[in-house]
């Protein structure tokens, strides 16, 4: 497939709820999807055209996926980079493997953001207990220690306050490459969802205001309580990131909003993003359709928002409240087809439309 051709069969690496929602959007556009996922009863398999049941780095499965698809994308950022590169040697892979490589390492991610004119909190690499002590000393004894790889939803992190004993801190997180991020005094958290085509066309959704509980996104509210200048700064940062990576598809970028209106980037996600789930209810073109349009070589849709809204994640037993949500006016209920509710597990979300 060349950059001017339209794809008809989209491969998706990963079979979770994001893959499920991508498959739903693809079907509406007349596209077929093939899921590569080791779990046979995964949420995406319920809606995709086909599933290849295999590990993400299985050579035979990767060859099969490449052979049966026009283009391949992915639904989570911990896809092995080597697997993405192997696919890219045979079939277009969007977003490009470079985006995976940058996002999978928090140190590389922050360095890339800074190199592209996007501010972050202060940070230091930590590769030993001695480096942890030195980094804490540089940041006034405070900061968030994180694994550089494979952390998500608050996992792989430890918070240090002044006076905390850091003894054994490096070993406690597995003696793996870490990063210490300094605290910043922010007012609230926002995020932006944006998309780019292979031809370089870019569309940005309105920034959402986010609230996290226990390290997991709880709500996203539109409009965010930000100025027009701050919203424009978020769009500019997204544009710089998309162009810097020669990106194709949807990206999510989380920011801290400072008291003076400045934005400090927290992290990027090279995929459709939880804080963009509201778009399926409050926009004509959801982030999921936008991603499929971009990777398939179609024109992007208008990202304009027609309604104010609040998106609320259903985590664990929150799913028990679905009967109440179903009888609440102007609410879109979206469940992920997971059979068992567990603490911290995302079971679905609801988006309540509000009068403007």
């Amino acid at each position: 497939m060349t950059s001017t051709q339209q794809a008809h069969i989209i491969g998706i690496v990963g079979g979770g709820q994001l893959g499920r929602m991508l498959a739903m959007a693809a079907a509406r556009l007349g596209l077929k999807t093939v899921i590569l996922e080791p779990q046979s009863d995964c949420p995406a398999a319920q809606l995709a055209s086909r599933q290849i049941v295999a590990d993400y780095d299985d050579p035979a499965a990767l060859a099969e996926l490449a052979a049966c698809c026009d283009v391949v994308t992915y639904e989570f950022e911990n896809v092995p980079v080597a697997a993405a590169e192997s696919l890219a040697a045979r079939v277009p892979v969007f977003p490009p493997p470079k985006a995976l490589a940058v996002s999978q390492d928090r140190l590389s991610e922050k360095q890339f953001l800074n190199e592209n004119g996007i501010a972050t909190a202060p940070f230091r690499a930590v590769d030993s207990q001695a480096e942890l002590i030195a980094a804490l000393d540089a940041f006034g004894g405070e900061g968030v220690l994180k694994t550089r790889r494979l952390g998500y939803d608050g996992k792989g992190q430890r918070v240090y306050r002044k006076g905390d004993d850091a003894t054994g801190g490096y070993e406690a997180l597995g003696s793996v490459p870490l990063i210490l991020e300094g605290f910043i005094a922010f007012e609230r958290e926002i995020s932006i969802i944006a998309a780019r085509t292979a031809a370089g066309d870019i569309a940005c959704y309105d920034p959402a205001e986010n609230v996290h509980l226990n390290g997991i996104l709880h709500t996203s509210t539109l409009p965010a309580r930000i100025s027009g200048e701050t919203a424009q700064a978020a769009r500019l940062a997204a544009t710089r990131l998309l162009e810097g990576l020669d990106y194709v598809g949807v990206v999510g970028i989380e920011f801290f909003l400072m008291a003076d209106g400045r934005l400090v980037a927290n992290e990027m996600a090279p995929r459709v993003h939880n804080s963009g789930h509201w778009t399926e209810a409050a926009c004509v073109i959801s982030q999921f359709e936008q991603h499929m349009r971009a990777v398939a070589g179609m024109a992007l849709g208008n990202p304009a928002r027609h309604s104010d809204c609040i998106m609320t994640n259903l985590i664990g037993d929150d799913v028990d409240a679905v009967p109440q949500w179903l009888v609440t006016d102007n609410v879109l209920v979206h469940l992920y087809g997971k059979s068992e509710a567990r603490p911290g597990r995302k079971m679905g979300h609801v988006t309540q439309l509000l009068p403007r």
Side-chain angles (χ1 to χ4, degrees):
M1 188 185 103
T2 68
S3 60
T4 58
Q5 293 177 319
Q6 181 183 315
H8 298 281
I9 304 176
I10 315 295
I12 303 174
V13 181
Q17 65 263 18
L18 298 181
R20 175 188 178 95
M21 289 182 268
L22 289 173
M24 290 176 64
R28 290 181 58 249
L29 294 171
L31 304 172
K32 294 183 178 181
T33 50
V34 180
I35 304 294
L36 173 60
E37 164 63 44
Q39 180 184 329
S40 60
D41 59 345
C42 66
Q46 300 168 17
L47 294 168
S49 309
R50 177 187 169 199
Q51 181 185 359
I52 299 171
V53 182
D55 290 336
Y56 305 127
D57 57 356
D58 182 287
L62 292 171
E64 183 179 356
L65 185 67
C68 70
C69 296
D70 300 315
V71 65
V72 173
T73 188
Y74 43 88
E75 63 125 26
F76 70 112
E77 60 266 50
N78 289 328
V79 174
V81 173
E85 291 173 341
S86 173
L87 285 167
R90 312 173 210 189
V91 65
V93 174
F94 300 133
K98 180 182 178 181
L100 278 177
V102 168
S103 68
Q104 284 181 4
D105 186 314
R106 285 190 169 97
L107 180 63
S108 298
E109 178 183 60
K110 284 182 165 43
Q111 290 171 337
F112 182 85
L113 290 168
N114 289 172
E115 289 165 2
N116 284 271
I118 303 170
T120 62
F123 60 90
R124 281 200 176 191
V126 173
D127 293 306
S128 68
Q129 180 64 28
E131 290 187 359
L132 171 57
I133 298 302
L136 282 169
D137 184 61
F139 293 161
E142 297 187 318
V144 184
L145 185 65
K146 301 179 180 180
T147 56
R148 282 171 52 180
R149 295 179 175 272
L150 301 179
Y152 66 97
D153 286 347
K155 297 178 175 63
Q157 300 185 16
R158 181 171 178 177
V159 175
Y160 286 95
R161 303 287 181 182
K162 286 183 179 179
D164 286 352
D165 184 3
T167 303
Y170 177 70
E171 292 78 9
L173 285 183
S175 298
V176 296
L178 306 175
I179 183 173
L180 184 73
E181 300 175 7
F183 287 140
I184 56 173
F186 63 92
E187 287 196 337
R188 58 184 64 97
E189 299 176 70
I190 71 166
S191 62
I192 191 167
I193 307 298
R196 183 177 182 271
T197 67
D201 296 324
I202 291 176
C204 297
Y205 289 91
D206 289 341
E209 181 172 337
N210 302 318
V211 174
H212 291 79
L213 295 178
N214 301 316
I216 304 175
L217 181 67
H218 176 52
T219 61
S220 293
T221 301
L222 279 293
R225 291 173 294 166
I226 58 175
S227 67
E229 291 77 12
T230 298
Q232 181 58 28
R235 288 189 286 268
L236 176 59
T239 297
R240 287 174 172 170
L241 181 66
L242 292 168
E243 293 179 343
L245 290 169
D246 196 19
Y247 198 94
V248 177
V250 162
V251 70
I253 312 174
E254 297 178 346
F255 297 96
F256 298 118
L257 176 65
M258 308 302 287
D260 60 3
R262 290 184 302 112
L263 291 177
V264 173
N266 178 28
E267 62 183 22
M268 61 161 283
R271 53 170 170 79
V272 288
H273 195 260
N274 196 171
S275 70
H277 289 358
W278 62 271
T279 60
E280 69 175 344
C283 301
V284 173
I285 307 298
S286 73
Q287 65 164 341
F288 308 104
E289 178 174 335
Q290 200 77 291
H291 185 79
M292 283 309 194
R293 283 175 175 237
V295 303
M298 299 177 177
L300 295 179
N302 185 345
R305 173 172 53 86
H306 57 67
S307 300
D308 295 345
C309 64
I310 300 175
M311 187 284 298
T312 304
N313 268 332
L314 302 177
I315 308 296
D317 291 342
D318 291 347
V319 73
D320 294 341
V322 165
Q324 286 73 44
W325 284 113
L326 287 172
V327 295
T328 303
D329 289 343
N330 301 315
V331 171
L332 183 149
V333 176
H334 192 138
L335 301 179
Y336 301 153
K338 298 179 180 180
S339 59
E340 180 185 1
R342 297 193 297 265
R345 192 182 198 194
K346 295 174 181 175
M347 301 299 296
H349 66 268
V350 296
T351 306
Q352 185 171 18
L353 300 183
L354 305 172
R356 300 187 71 173

